[in-house]
Amino acid sequence: MKRSTAVPSGAAARAACAAVVMVSGTLVLGSCSSVGSPGGGSGTPSAPTRVESREEALARTDRVQDHVRELTGLERDPWSKLVGYYRCQGRGLGVADEGEAYQLSSGVLLKAEDDKRPEVLRALREKLAGEGFKITSLASGSDAQSTAPTWEFDAVHEPDGYTVSAGASKPGQGVSVMVVLSCQAPPTGAASPTPTATG
């Protein structure tokens, strides 16, 4: 399979995050009025970077999230997990159908006191940069009353084609970590079971 150099953008991750509300470990589809629908939209279609079942892709994002958790030393909130399989760039908007190429977005919350979050995020950014991630700082308007995450940075791991976005969640909910995989192709002729969100 031809390998694309396209790496998922943090903007896609944030759009996906805005489209799903995490409530006690359950996914609730929400509105995207201010961000737009999640998924690839228009443009040149992304070529899948690898063949991977949805289950395998989710396991990969879990490993990345576990690594980020280890780097921060924080505990994961067991009641929050976001999982979305969206259409790849240039393949339309919305959720990818079974058997269709997809871009996986998976987010979790890490427990941190509000006043500790800036230092946690600064240290995480430095550690990821030290591991070779390409870091892009994002405009952060740290509004203490915000009901959505304030994304601080995107960290792109080009060799494996994924992006880690991190930022402060709403007050009292710690640090948000979103992992977005580049465009994936499901195995030919194999229907992947859709994983459920669990803590």
Side-chain angles (χ1 to χ4, degrees):
M1 173 170 285
K2 182 181 176 186
R3 183 168 175 89
S4 169
T5 57
V7 176
S9 72
R14 291 183 296 282
C17 187
V20 180
V21 179
M22 290 182 269
V23 181
S24 299
T26 306
L27 295 179
V28 180
L29 295 181
S31 167
C32 292
S33 57
S34 64
V35 181
S37 297
S42 62
T44 304
S46 295
T49 58
R50 67 172 70 188
V51 174
E52 191 168 45
S53 72
R54 289 183 175 199
E55 187 176 70
E56 292 167 331
L58 184 59
R60 189 157 57 107
T61 63
D62 287 346
R63 287 191 300 273
V64 174
Q65 289 163 345
D66 285 345
H67 179 63
V68 170
R69 184 193 55 73
E70 289 169 3
L71 290 176
T72 63
L74 299 176
E75 182 182 342
R76 193 179 142 231
D77 180 343
W79 297 105
S80 66
K81 183 163 187 167
L82 175 153
V83 177
Y85 297 91
Y86 300 104
R87 290 191 172 123
C88 297
Q89 176 68 36
R91 296 172 185 257
L93 297 175
V95 176
D97 293 328
E98 286 291 328
E100 182 179 9
Y102 64 90
Q103 181 176 320
L104 172 59
S105 297
S106 178
V108 295
L109 295 175
L110 302 178
K111 296 179 180 181
E113 295 176 16
D114 291 352
D115 61 339
K116 304 282 187 206
R117 294 185 300 186
E119 177 56 27
V120 166
L121 290 165
R122 183 198 61 73
L124 177 59
R125 177 194 323 238
E126 289 178 3
K127 288 175 181 178
L128 291 173
E131 292 183 355
F133 284 75
K134 180 181 175 188
I135 306 295
T136 303
S137 295
L138 304 170
S140 66
S142 50
D143 177 3
Q145 302 304 314
S146 175
T147 59
T150 303
W151 299 103
E152 299 290 331
F153 66 89
D154 286 342
V156 176
H157 192 268
E158 291 180 346
D160 290 325
Y162 65 85
T163 298
V164 175
S165 296
S169 193
K170 66 182 184 177
Q173 289 196 350
V175 172
S176 297
V177 175
M178 177 74 72
V179 178
V180 181
L181 301 184
S182 56
C183 189
Q184 310 291 298
T188 305
S192 301
T194 303
T196 56
T198 57

